[in-house]
Amino acid sequence: MAELLVHRVRFFDYLPAGLRCLSYNSCSGRLAAARLSGAVEIFSFNNNFFQEKVIPGDDRKSIEAMCWVGWNRLFTVGLTGEIMEIDLQRLCPKYSLDAFGGPVWCMSCNPEETHLAIGCEDGSVKLFEIIPEKLQYARNLDRQKGRVLSLAWHKAGSLIATGSLNVICVFDVKSGHCVQRMDVDRRISSQRNRECVVWSVLFLSDSIVSADSTGKVQLWDWQTGTLLNTHHVTKCDALSLAVNPAEDSIAVGTSEGTVIQFQLLETKSGGGDVQWVRTKTFKYHTHDVRGLVHTKSALVSGGLDAQLVLRPLMDKVETKSYEAALRKVIFPHRSLVCCSREAKLLLFQFPSQLELWSLDHSPLTGAGMAPTDSKPDKVLQLKKKGSDHIHCCCLSPCGEWISYATASRVCVYRVQYQDGSVTVTRVAGTPKQLRGVQCLVFSADSTRLFAGSERSAVHVVDVTGSRCTELHIFTPKSGCQESISLLAVSADGEWVAAASHGGEINIYNLMQLMQHCIVPVYNQPPTAMAIHPQTNNLLTVHTDHQIFEFSLREKRFTDWSRQLQQQGLHPQWVERDTPVTHITFNPDVPTQFMLHDMYMFCIIDQTLRLPTAKCHLYNQAALRGLSANARRSQAHAFKICKKFQPLLHVEMLSEDSLVVIERPLMDINTHLPAPVKQKKFAT
Amino acid sequence: MAQPERETEQKDPDMASESGTDDEDEAPEEVTFSSAWEQASRRVREALETARRDKELLKEKRKRREKLFKEQKKRKQLPAEVLEELIAVPEMKDPVPDTTSGITTVQGEDQEAEEDDDNMENIIKPRMKGRYEAIRLKDQGETDQRTERAKAFINRRLYGPGRMRTNANEYYSLANKRDANKKGALQFVNKSWGKKQKEKARKLRKKWIKKHGIVPS
């Protein structure tokens, strides 16, 4: 491959929503992150911090707090006043329950995981009993004046601390009475008469920690109701608090975007006295840090700047290592772009709409490349129906069909281009049982739509007639209950591969309408999957960046894949921190394929030798200066380009041309809510 | 003789009301027991009668009102066939919400009703089949209002007056300004945004050039 013509696309105005709250489940090693849009994302610590699942949001819903119960039950509360359990298999709300206390601000589960306590707008704390598959109202604690904004259980499960306006209360759960009341000092010099909002409370075994809107972190003795210590951490709000399981380290998130760590340290070496000391300040966010989690060895913070930051706290590790490196999640770990190679169209997915853009001026004629000075052409903007957000979408290879799925429906549209005008008609008759669709893909000849839905079922729908007709439903023999995360179809229309959230990949034969085989299960789930158009080999890339090539006909891994596994991937490749989200093939050179993550795209040439651990992985610049012979001897299979960043999508078009979709982070930053003003000297 | 008699007759009621102010000397009129008894019993009867009549009137009033209410209610109610349909459905279906079908939504008639948008006849039937929940619109309004108020509270507390907030341009331009290689504010460095400001700057520059008489080369 000599040269590629690149369409550098920067008109996808993707805007991630700010992170509202985080919740960590130490049993399963999963982190749930709720966004302001109402979407919930599940990250797996065991799988390289991969964004496993996304539960799409809703216009009417907002999430204020989340709580894990047991191994895999997740509850959320929001300003609509409802408690909701999320179905983590079908990725939709399971049921919701009105708390009858107005908007709910906070929620916490007791250590025995039998009761949930919620704090409501009307000043009441309500207890709900957790029973299998359900939640039942138990009782109210004494009602106080003012909304309850934060809440924490004591380790023993007999006391609850609540924070509201100007006051922290301690309740006895058994009697329901308030046993201690602590007034928070509201006065700071600039805002004399403003109420002090207790944004967050923590109940340690011997004290209560509070963070409030005047920027104080205070420690209280809950037995006597006295103030032990005050730390002024910021001039604006201290918003969130988190403590590690050992209770010797506390993290505070502030409005300025800083995260401050306090540690319980001995005041004199050898002496028994311990004190909370402010130790470290991290500044990874530009905006308010509203979600904070402190695990055993890491600090996870989520801000309104829509970034999720994982900061491993390995003080004692001297050397730099992959495990101790900082990680940021900015873009979703799945593709939000669909590309039609033939019609040169791009489909962008937003939460509430789809946008169809043309790379070419006239999609009808489809001849020639768009000149570089021509403006991009927005062909269509399709708004969703209903209040729930779009989960996935797809564009047919011919560019004529668009389909999208929300939690409750699947819609198929036909787009016709005539003399420069575009007409859109909805195709009726999408199958009724098609609910909870996670993944959509059209066949190569654009006649069939494949929809991966709950219980790992793959629906095959014919879209060519005036109405959609369901042709077949594939269900795995293994009886997998998880829904489908990725789908891939072969170019000849014979195979479809479906990967479920558990990591199982099933291959179905479309000619015989039966299951062909299961790809040997790897312990890390796939992040990207594609079937080679010529050889019909299935390529998968997993969360630990391993690449596998599986021959569908022979039902075995190919020789190249075996060789790759034997030799092992280059350490620098394995230690990349963003997952590969898309695989595309070069139609002219069958031995090459291309994959990309957020910071690079890589062309892998299967004819060349594999890089060894000793040689340089990023050797493109070095190769340029060598002679032709030396270059040949030095070249290896991984050709990495980092020129375009940060990447949302890369697709290889025909005629040696490439479309690269970038989203500069500064463009996202300009659309974020207002940050806190920073005083800098002489500016 | 007749005159003074009339006078006494006229004074009689006075005597009853103001017991002897000026007629203290006169002896009380002689009344027979039977007539007095009769008078008293009549008075009692009259009182009873009025009480009964009041009660009856009240009853009648109440009755009338109830009737009115009933009529009003009937007027508000849905047509009989719809009511019958509503009553018939819970018997056929299990009233316990289906947990497998997920959360119940307000706009339950989504799919089928949507497909037959023009077909008015079919609207009632699919309405009964869809997954839906009946809610009182009044409650919904209240919930929405409370949610809005809660949102306004959080907005006020985070972005309200006195919260020391700045805009993105100012925030990100600081670094450019303090850089060793000084650059302009971000809105001018970054081509993709700040269209308004750029337009304004271009106009100002034009004005300035005109004012100072500089001919652009």
Side-chain angles (χ1 to χ4, degrees), chain A residues 60 62 79-80 84 90 93-94 96 101-103 105 121 147 149 165 191 194-195 197 199 213 235-237 239 255-256 283 286-288 290 304 385-387 408-410 426 428-432 435 467 666-667 669-670 672-678 680-683, chain B residues 96 98-108 110-112 114-117 130-131 133 139-140 143-175 177-178 186 190-193:
Chain A
R60 291 172 305 171
S62 73
L79 295 184
T80 49
M84 191 168 74
R90 296 167 66 235
K94 213 179 208 172
S96 65
W105 291 99
E121 173 89 359
R147 44 174 77 85
L149 287 156
L165 299 180
Q191 306 147 359
R194 285 197 80 137
E195 284 162 320
V197 183
W199 285 120
S213 62
K235 279 185 178 166
C236 44
D237 299 29
L239 290 170
S255 248
E256 285 167 321
K283 176 98 172 92
T286 53
H287 289 65
D288 315 41
R290 298 197 72 187
L304 295 190
K385 278 192 170 187
S387 66
S408 60
R409 71 185 87 200
V410 176
R426 181 164 174 199
T430 41
K432 301 277 175 302
R435 283 179 191 275
R467 284 178 73 85
M666 201 41 94
D667 290 1
N669 291 343
T670 58
L672 293 174
V676 170
K677 193 171 187 164
Q678 284 188 316
K680 293 242 169 97
F681 182 69
T683 50
Chain B
V96 178
D98 188 8
T99 47
T100 54
S101 66
I103 184 167
T104 46
T105 51
V106 185
Q107 9 153 260
D110 46 4
Q111 285 212 330
E112 285 142 80
E114 239 180 67
E115 279 159 25
D116 316 333
D117 266 342
R131 300 176 305 152
E133 187 184 27
D139 296 344
Q140 198 56 35
T143 328
D144 287 350
Q145 240 179 22
R146 280 193 297 190
T147 312
E148 285 308 311
R149 271 207 298 270
K151 274 184 187 160
F153 164 77
I154 205 102
N155 211 26
R156 203 173 58 239
R157 295 306 316 209
L158 289 181
Y159 302 104
R163 293 284 93 186
M164 299 186 284
R165 295 279 170 173
T166 175
N167 56 13
N169 177 40
E170 226 167 85
Y171 185 85
Y172 292 105
S173 297
L174 273 182
K177 197 175 178 181
R178 290 164 64 87
L186 206 69
N190 194 333
K191 280 174 192 158
S192 61
W193 55 295

Side-chain angles (χ1 to χ4, degrees), chain A residues 49 52 55 71 91 129 175 206 253 289 329 351 436 552 619 651:
Chain A
F49 212 56
E52 262 188 337
I55 296 107
W71 181 261
L91 306 190
E129 198 186 341
S175 65
D206 56 349
V289 177
V329 179
L552 297 184
N619 65 349
E651 184 87 44

Side-chain angles (χ1 to χ4, degrees), chain B:
Chain B
M1 189 67 209
Q3 242 183 349
E5 250 188 47
R6 215 189 295 156
E7 258 186 57
T8 48
E9 267 180 27
Q10 275 179 347
K11 271 189 181 170
D12 219 341
D14 274 6
M15 236 171 67
S17 59
E18 322 163 357
S19 56
T21 43
D22 44 357
D23 312 293
E24 265 177 14
D25 312 334
E26 272 182 40
E29 200 186 339
E30 207 170 298
V31 186
T32 57
F33 172 75
S34 64
S35 70
W37 188 80
E38 204 175 299
Q39 215 175 337
S41 65
R42 199 182 62 225
R43 265 186 211 154
V44 170
R45 232 182 300 136
E46 264 174 18
L48 276 173
E49 188 106 329
T50 35
R52 197 177 52 84
R53 215 180 308 131
D54 282 356
K55 220 176 179 180
E56 240 165 47
L57 264 174
L58 207 70
K59 223 178 199 176
E60 205 169 315
K61 204 176 164 189
R62 233 178 254 157
K63 222 180 227 170
R64 240 184 298 140
R65 200 183 250 181
E66 211 161 282
K67 209 173 169 188
L68 189 80
F69 279 154
K70 259 185 196 165
E71 260 172 32
Q72 269 181 346
K73 214 174 185 183
K74 211 175 258 175
R75 245 180 283 150
K76 271 186 195 168
Q77 263 174 359
L78 295 164
E81 44 189 271
V82 180
L83 278 177
E84 271 168 34
E85 211 174 331
L86 274 172
I87 294 160
V89 165
E91 287 168 9
M92 296 194 300
K93 247 185 164 179
D94 195 355
V96 178
D98 188 8
T99 47
T100 54
S101 66
I103 184 167
T104 46
T105 51
V106 185
Q107 9 153 260
E109 359 133 298
D110 46 4
Q111 285 212 330
E112 285 142 80
E114 239 180 67
E115 279 159 25
D116 316 333
D117 266 342
D118 330 310
N119 201 344
M120 285 300 284
E121 287 170 8
N122 284 355
I123 283 179
I124 290 177
K125 274 185 187 170
R127 184 172 63 192
M128 309 316 296
K129 282 179 199 163
R131 300 176 305 152
Y132 73 97
E133 187 184 27
I135 52 156
R136 236 166 45 136
L137 280 176
K138 198 176 145 199
D139 296 344
Q140 198 56 35
E142 254 173 48
T143 328
D144 287 350
Q145 240 179 22
R146 280 193 297 190
T147 312
E148 285 308 311
R149 271 207 298 270
K151 274 184 187 160
F153 164 77
I154 205 102
N155 211 26
R156 203 173 58 239
R157 295 306 316 209
L158 289 181
Y159 302 104
R163 293 284 93 186
M164 299 186 284
R165 295 279 170 173
T166 175
N167 56 13
N169 177 40
E170 226 167 85
Y171 185 85
Y172 292 105
S173 297
L174 273 182
N176 284 0
K177 197 175 178 181
R178 290 164 64 87
D179 204 20
N181 179 18
K182 291 202 186 333
K183 281 180 263 179
L186 206 69
Q187 68 200 31
F188 298 106
V189 178
N190 194 333
K191 280 174 192 158
S192 61
W193 55 295
K195 266 184 199 153
K196 228 190 233 169
Q197 283 90 336
K198 260 183 257 179
E199 188 68 20
K200 213 171 142 190
R202 206 173 55 83
K203 269 185 192 166
L204 266 175
R205 189 158 164 254
K206 240 183 190 175
K207 257 190 207 168
W208 190 87
I209 287 169
K210 213 175 175 185
K211 196 177 155 192
H212 290 258
I214 301 164
V215 182
S217 56

